[in-house]
Amino acid sequence: MRPEPLSLEGKSLHLECDPCTLELTVTHRGTGQRWALHSDSEGELRVAHHSTATTAFLRDAREREVYRYSTSAGECLCLHLRGLPGGVALSITFSIPSAEDTLRIELEPLPTASSSRIVEVRYPGVLAFEADEIQYTVWPNGAGMILPARHDQEIHSGMSDYETQVKGLPYALAYSWQLYQPWWGAVAANSAYVAIAETPFDFGLELHHPAGGPTVARPVWVSSLGDLAYRRAIRYQFFGDASYVTLAKAYRRYAQGLGRWVALETKFARNPHARRLVGSTIFPVSICRHNMRQSPPCHEVVTFAEALRHVRRLRDLGWKRAYLHIDGWGARGYDNQHPDPLPPCSDAGGWTGLVELSRTAEECGYLFGLHDQYRDYYLDGPGYCEAHAVKMADGALPQWSRWAGGPQTLLCAQQALPYLRANYARIMGHGVRLTASYLDVYAMNPLDECHDPRHPMTREDCYRWRAEALEHMHRLDMAVSSEEPADCFIPHLDFAHWNGYPREKTGPLGYLGVPVPLHNLVYHDALLLPSQYRYAHPTPRDAQLFLEGLAQVEIPYGQIGWAQPEDLRGAQLMARLHAAWGTSELTNHRILDSTGAIQEYEYPEGRVLVDLGSCRYRIHRGPEATDGWLSPEV
């Protein structure tokens, strides 16, 4: 005889759980709306037995124990599943906080005598709307996107070959490019949900949208140093009438509650240099390029003295606020020999040239920072030591040769701080005036694991070590940045250098799905970001990138070689708008046509409309208000 469903009651939600399959049905008692969480047809568990692994189903548990208990937050239903394949066991707890339309699900391995280990869990499964037609899926991929239910592109989450340790995974790990923020959601005609990973460091999102749909999305809990290891938790919050803005703002409130969201005003109080970025322009200055992947290596140098002349010309053109981002300044140039780039490139002028350039920037009132790197670990670096490198589970080194410096592995984040501290003590000891910092890839590349028994490191450990490196730069009185804005690093960053919408090479607008500013709906007033607009070497995409940056009120990029006043016009417009609205909340966003091309971005001070198809913009209210639609000057 089939056992009766297990149930759990909240203030407005009712949960039913099939005790055999652990499939779930959630009902909103006020509206009658129902959602179902289905089991995975290929198995919810991956269990490792020494050197092999098998797939298992939760329904295969030989023993089930049910517990009910109360907490101050509400009622809980707990199941202990024992006798799963390999002799492993798992605890699953459901709770409905009394004050929220939220279902929380926690999973935790139970101790057993078995030597087998749970290394992956795909539970809960796909959430489906019952008697309500889904409109689109919401995905914090890059700057953000939605996937209409019948969209004609095939799209899936995953980790690329560039992600070294985790390349080729069929799901996106949290805090990687495809999942900056650890949540996703979906909006139907009359209801919606957002799913937030409360334990994000070993969390993945598997998402697949075949051409024409439907989209399938489910959570994946991955191993920590080869084991499920600790409790995992996810929350599903349910809504009636809602939009992607509703879901992004729900995550914003969640991040604020955790302290992950830190206001820009708080960051400015911590370091006044960060405030100087408001209304400024970022000028990359490239000194030395040495490409070891060519034979013979290609070596190109712009001297510090030549860069200094460009900086003075910017000042003479009347440019008031700028950040000079210096790359390729090390002994052998850009992306070479890290984490041992010192001394500065001798062909460019060495210590004397770098010091003079930094002091000229100071005289001009410009921020000055160095592009630096403490993850890529080059095998020919002067201080390379294999004992400091990340180790895979089998003891091997991840290795590749993708960048200019040639063969490399990964520096264990636990080993990075001594390099960082020594380098900046030496740099600042020579008199280089630094007011900003860029630690490359720290807030962009996936969190690393290290299996070296001398310095084992989980992904969460990796976060903490990278965060400590960023905080060290704060202690040196610099405005701090990294490459991209992965969510966990937001409290430690004042600004980042890149945050783009996901794109493809084909399609009418060139985007994956429909671009929507999920990141900035959460963090616009907590992190400064630049536009991706390129002011030199124009491409057909430049007008779109200009519109994206203008609409999101981001810092413009400039070219250090600008020589004429007309070169400055586009950047000046963006900088003036950023000075006015750059620290405000992005309060709302709307798509105004069926293709997603015409979009409206709303701030407390006014609105920016862009047409990404016809490449035009319109600004309502504020000092940069336009009289109708205008075309960008590109």
Side-chain angles (χ1 to χ4, degrees):
M1 182 176 178
R2 190 175 184 85
E4 290 292 319
L6 302 170
S7 64
L8 189 65
E9 299 287 340
K11 183 177 181 181
S12 56
L13 295 181
H14 171 79
L15 173 71
E16 285 195 358
C17 173
D18 184 316
C20 297
T21 65
L22 272 71
E23 291 191 327
L24 307 174
T25 302
V26 181
T27 305
H28 193 283
R29 292 205 300 271
T31 64
Q33 179 59 48
R34 289 165 60 88
W35 300 268
L37 282 153
H38 297 297
S39 58
D40 194 310
S41 61
E42 298 180 359
E44 298 93 354
L45 301 181
R46 188 165 173 264
V47 180
H49 319 272
H50 303 293
S51 60
T52 64
T54 60
T55 300
F57 293 86
L58 295 176
R59 65 172 180 257
D60 293 336
R62 294 194 299 272
E63 299 177 24
R64 292 174 175 80
E65 299 169 315
V66 179
Y67 302 92
R68 294 180 181 275
Y69 59 92
S70 300
T71 70
S72 59
E75 300 296 312
C76 299
L77 171 66
C78 179
L79 285 80
H80 285 190
L81 307 178
R82 301 185 186 277
L84 288 160
V88 299
L90 186 70
S91 168
I92 303 178
T93 301
F94 308 99
S95 61
I96 301 176
S98 55
E100 305 174 31
D101 289 348
T102 299
L103 168 65
R104 294 186 70 254
I105 302 174
E106 302 177 51
L107 301 95
E108 188 169 12
L110 293 172
T112 69
S114 174
S115 60
S116 298
R117 307 178 316 281
I118 299 173
V119 294
E120 188 174 281
V121 181
R122 295 169 181 260
Y123 185 86
V126 176
L127 190 149
F129 294 81
E130 295 193 354
D132 199 4
E133 185 176 1
I134 188 168
Q135 305 294 301
Y136 54 81
T137 298
V138 184
W139 183 10
N141 182 350
M145 62 183 284
I146 60 173
L147 261 171
R150 296 180 178 85
H151 196 65
D152 61 3
Q153 294 171 307
E154 180 170 8
I155 298 172
H156 59 85
S157 61
M159 306 299 286
S160 71
D161 286 345
Y162 165 61
E163 329 275 358
T164 59
Q165 281 189 309
V166 293
K167 63 185 179 183
L169 289 180
Y171 45 80
L173 289 176
Y175 307 135
S176 65
W177 156 251
Q178 290 199 10
L179 197 60
Y180 275 158
Q181 301 168 13
W183 65 274
W184 84 98
V187 174
N190 302 301
S191 61
Y193 78 89
V194 61
I196 301 173
E198 295 185 1
T199 51
F201 291 105
D202 298 295
F203 169 75
L205 172 63
E206 182 180 31
L207 185 148
H208 180 229
H209 177 92
T215 307
V216 175
R218 76 191 86 200
V220 182
W221 303 107
V222 301
S223 66
S224 176
L225 292 180
D227 200 344
L228 192 61
Y230 62 92
R231 179 187 61 86
R232 314 299 177 90
I234 190 168
R235 62 166 52 207
Y236 290 82
Q237 186 173 353
F238 299 95
F239 304 88
D241 186 34
S243 71
Y244 56 87
V245 176
T246 311
L247 306 193
K249 294 302 183 183
Y251 183 74
R252 174 185 168 95
R253 291 189 293 274
Y254 176 79
Q256 288 173 327
L258 289 181
R260 193 176 292 162
W261 185 100
V262 177
L264 280 171
E265 287 300 326
T266 301
K267 295 180 178 183
F268 296 161
R270 173 178 65 184
N271 189 323
H273 290 312
R275 189 184 294 276
R276 295 167 59 191
L277 289 157
V278 179
S280 70
T281 299
I282 299 175
F283 288 93
V285 180
S286 185
I287 300 299
C288 176
R289 300 274 168 164
H290 186 90
N291 191 349
M292 295 287 292
R293 301 180 69 205
Q294 296 179 227
S295 182
C298 178
H299 188 76
E300 301 172 331
V301 175
V302 173
T303 66
F304 293 119
E306 185 176 350
L308 184 150
R309 288 193 292 272
H310 287 309
V311 171
R312 287 178 173 158
R313 184 169 59 197
L314 273 182
R315 178 196 58 192
D316 294 342
L317 285 170
W319 207 266
K320 301 296 185 185
R321 309 194 80 169
Y323 163 49
L324 303 178
H325 171 90
I326 314 301
D327 67 43
W329 55 273
R332 210 174 65 191
Y334 185 74
D335 277 353
N336 268 258
Q337 296 186 313
H338 290 291
D340 292 293
L342 295 175
C345 180
S346 59
D347 292 350
W351 282 113
T352 300
L354 180 58
V355 169
E356 187 176 4
L357 180 59
S358 74
R359 294 187 176 183
T360 300
E362 185 177 54
E363 292 167 6
C364 294
Y366 298 161
L367 292 165
F368 186 87
L370 302 178
H371 179 126
D372 209 354
Q373 162 73 262
Y374 293 88
R375 182 178 186 255
D376 292 349
Y377 198 18
Y378 288 92
L379 304 188
D380 67 349
Y384 175 76
C385 175
E386 184 179 318
H388 294 165
V390 157
K391 303 299 189 302
M392 307 289 279
D394 61 1
L397 299 177
Q399 289 193 53
W400 71 106
S401 182
R402 183 182 179 94
W403 310 119
Q408 67 172 98
T409 183
L410 297 177
L411 177 65
C412 179
Q414 191 177 151
Q415 303 297 305
L417 276 171
Y419 290 96
L420 179 79
R421 290 173 177 144
N423 285 345
Y424 282 88
R426 192 173 171 192
I427 291 167
M428 300 177 84
H430 272 81
V432 179
R433 307 290 178 84
L434 296 175
T435 48
S437 166
Y438 175 87
L439 297 187
D440 196 17
V441 311
Y442 259 22
M444 172 238 179
N445 274 3
L447 298 169
D448 300 313
E449 288 191 314
C450 181
H451 293 260
D452 192 316
R454 294 167 292 186
H455 44 84
M457 181 177 70
T458 66
R459 293 186 183 92
E460 185 170 3
D461 292 334
C462 182
Y463 151 71
R464 297 187 191 284
W465 286 110
R466 289 188 190 179
E468 176 58 25
L470 297 168
E471 291 301 323
H472 182 72
M473 306 312 281
H474 278 301
R475 291 190 287 271
L476 296 178
D477 193 30
M478 301 183 205
V480 174
S481 71
S482 187
E483 186 166 2
E484 299 184 31
D487 180 76
C488 61
F489 293 104
I490 302 296
H492 311 286
L493 296 173
D494 300 310
F495 65 117
H497 279 247
W498 197 80
N499 178 41
Y501 286 123
R503 293 182 177 271
E504 68 165 9
K505 294 180 181 178
T506 61
L509 295 177
Y511 297 99
L512 281 177
V514 177
V516 296
L518 299 179
H519 173 85
N520 275 324
L521 282 165
V522 178
Y523 286 120
H524 191 267
D525 47 347
L527 184 76
L528 298 171
L529 283 173
S531 162
Q532 290 190 77
Y533 185 53
R534 292 180 294 275
Y535 291 89
H537 311 296
T539 72
R541 187 177 292 173
D542 280 355
Q544 272 190 350
L545 295 178
F546 175 87
L547 295 176
E548 293 169 15
L550 187 70
Q552 295 183 85
V553 191
E554 294 178 331
I555 302 170
Y557 268 108
Q559 295 293 324
I560 194 63
W562 280 345
Q564 304 299 326
E566 54 266 27
D567 295 334
L568 316 179
R569 290 174 185 164
Q572 286 174 325
L573 169 61
M574 294 184 70
R576 290 194 303 267
L577 188 62
H578 193 264
W581 300 359
T583 62
S584 298
E585 179 183 354
L586 175 56
T587 57
N588 203 1
H589 179 266
R590 300 177 185 89
I591 295 172
L592 302 180
D593 74 330
S594 60
T595 68
I598 303 176
Q599 303 192 0
E600 179 186 73
Y601 294 70
E602 185 174 339
Y603 301 87
E605 301 88 348
R607 295 173 290 134
V608 182
L609 281 79
V610 293
D611 184 340
L612 298 169
S614 299
C615 289
R616 54 187 185 148
Y617 69 92
R618 185 173 187 175
I619 302 174
H620 290 271
R621 302 202 308 272
E624 303 307 316
T626 63
D627 184 13
W629 290 92
L630 298 178
S631 297
E633 297 184 28
V634 296

